[in-house]
Amino acid sequence: SYFLSINANDLIRYDDLFSSFAVNSIPYTVVLKPLAVYHIGKWSAVGKECGATHANTAINTVSYGNENISREIHDEQEATDRTEIPVQGRVTAKIAITERVTRGRLSNCSLADIRKRSGVVLLTTTNFAFLDMTLNMIESIKRAGLCVNTTVIAEDQKCHQYLKERVWDDPGVHVIMTNSGETESQLIRRYTRAYFRFFNKRQAYILALLEQGLDVLFTDSDTFWFRDPFPYFRGDFDMSMMDSKSPYPTRAENANFCAGFVYYKPTAVTIRFVKAWIQTMENNEKAGKIRADQGVMNSLLRSDDPVHVHVQPLDINLFPSGPKFYSLLAKTANYSAVVMHAASIRGHEAKIGKFKSSNMWLVNITTG
């Protein structure tokens, strides 16, 4: 089976079966199961049919031939739309899509729910060792009643396989295998080369979405969501982040922003900045001095290199770090945050322990 992400409104060409369609506003996950002869990632039609299934769709083969598999694409809301998807050059797949009301097992969202917040992608990355934290975060988002196009980049095959089996029918959660080299499935020791590389590859994922004109909310997986944060991302800015030094809503000169929870708008300034961020980290690695993505980001922001970025700080009382959150919770029993980021709680087990101490551990799985 091959999982391909296609868009109801903007079906585009892709290079091969292992690639994903660019996510625009609404992702579909389609499982194409070859009944024809299969040769190392290519389709061989030779007079055979290929089946296709999707939880939100009814897909029917309309014709096939010696070198073409023909399927009709039909979106229920745009009955006149007809589009062909080139597959491996000579083979063309057409898919007939009829929407059904299905709620995802992980998101509890329907496709109609996701469409209400088009143009925005919630992005996170994980490996298998941190998958329990990722699933806990997704569960907190579900319990907060939030439906948004959530894309998870799996950084190893074990993680990808586990998630793929659980989200293939979920219109709210989309899983993609990394295209920039796998990481190990185990916990990665802090401050090692592998540790920095794991974090320093995220900006390329973000840039790819920004260049498609999408707003991106990037989040580390060690976050817990109590309420919908999107109302706090209104206004004129390029990027919005957490910073304990900035007296909300003013950006402090010595701000030390957290790269683990950032809202990016696809402005020319944001795109230029993220490109420079990526290039700086690549230059650092070539020179043999790998720095953490967050340190590089803050250095560039403070020096307005290559451009001044309009950063909107988030209210640290509403978007606290782990220690800040637990300090406020100890003082005020009914304290209510929007999103808590446990970045300053060091270690996988320590994070889980803190979450459990405040009834915020919502899943029955341990992978780290």
Side-chain angles (χ1 to χ4, degrees), residues 66-140:
N66 287 339
E67 292 189 357
N68 288 285
I69 302 167
S70 186
R71 301 181 186 284
E72 178 180 338
I73 297 172
H74 171 67
D75 182 33
E76 191 173 55
Q77 294 188 348
E78 298 181 16
T80 61
D81 183 48
R82 295 286 187 277
T83 312
E84 290 187 354
I85 313 171
V87 180
Q88 290 293 342
R90 292 180 300 177
V91 181
T92 299
K94 296 181 181 178
I95 299 172
I97 301 173
T98 304
E99 204 171 296
R100 299 175 188 149
V101 177
T102 300
R103 292 195 172 274
R105 287 179 290 174
L106 289 185
S107 69
N108 195 36
C109 297
S110 69
L111 192 57
D113 294 329
I114 300 300
R115 280 181 169 153
K116 293 175 184 177
R117 204 186 297 271
S118 63
V120 180
V121 173
L122 171 61
L123 178 67
T124 193
T125 69
T126 189
N127 72 341
F128 187 78
F130 236 69
L131 183 57
D132 49 3
M133 293 295 305
T134 306
L135 292 171
N136 193 70
M137 177 192 71
I138 292 173
E139 179 65 20
S140 74

Side-chain angles (χ1 to χ4, degrees), residues 132-144 223-226 352 355-356 358-365:
D132 49 3
M133 293 295 305
T134 306
L135 292 171
N136 193 70
M137 177 192 71
I138 292 173
E139 179 65 20
S140 74
I141 293 172
K142 179 174 78 172
R143 296 193 186 193
T223 55
F224 193 95
W225 299 46
F226 299 93
I352 293 179
F355 278 41
K356 286 182 176 179
S358 50
N359 297 317
M360 291 161 52
W361 191 248
L362 309 176
V363 296
N364 294 316
I365 177 177

Side-chain angles (χ1 to χ4, degrees), residues 15-59:
D15 295 326
D16 56 52
L17 289 173
F18 295 103
S19 300
S20 293
F21 289 100
V23 179
N24 193 339
S25 54
I26 303 300
Y28 282 84
T29 300
V30 177
V31 186
L32 298 177
K33 297 183 178 179
L35 305 177
V37 181
Y38 169 66
H39 295 291
I40 314 177
K42 296 182 182 293
W43 291 87
S44 177
V46 197
K48 302 283 186 177
E49 295 184 7
C50 289
T53 59
H54 185 296
N56 294 330
T57 62
I59 304 176

Side-chain angles (χ1 to χ4, degrees), residues 123-125 155 190-207 218-222 239 241 255-262 264 273-285 289-302 305 341 343 346:
L123 178 67
T124 193
T125 69
E155 294 290 352
R190 291 175 62 84
Y191 306 125
T192 61
R193 186 173 290 267
Y195 175 84
F196 287 126
R197 282 178 172 164
F198 180 86
F199 290 101
N200 291 4
K201 62 196 301 195
R202 306 182 299 185
Q203 292 68 36
Y205 306 144
I206 294 164
L207 179 62
F218 178 84
T219 180
D220 280 348
S221 58
D222 58 342
M239 296 162 59
M241 294 179 273
N256 186 35
F257 291 107
C258 177
F261 189 83
V262 187
Y264 300 84
F273 176 80
V274 175
K275 285 181 177 179
W277 188 5
I278 293 169
Q279 188 62 57
T280 301
M281 291 190 294
E282 289 177 351
N283 292 342
N284 286 343
E285 178 151 10
K289 51 177 184 179
I290 298 181
R291 288 182 62 198
D293 60 336
Q294 182 167 301
V296 174
M297 178 191 74
N298 279 294
S299 294
L300 294 174
L301 286 173
R302 292 188 194 112
D305 184 11
H341 185 198
R346 306 300 184 192

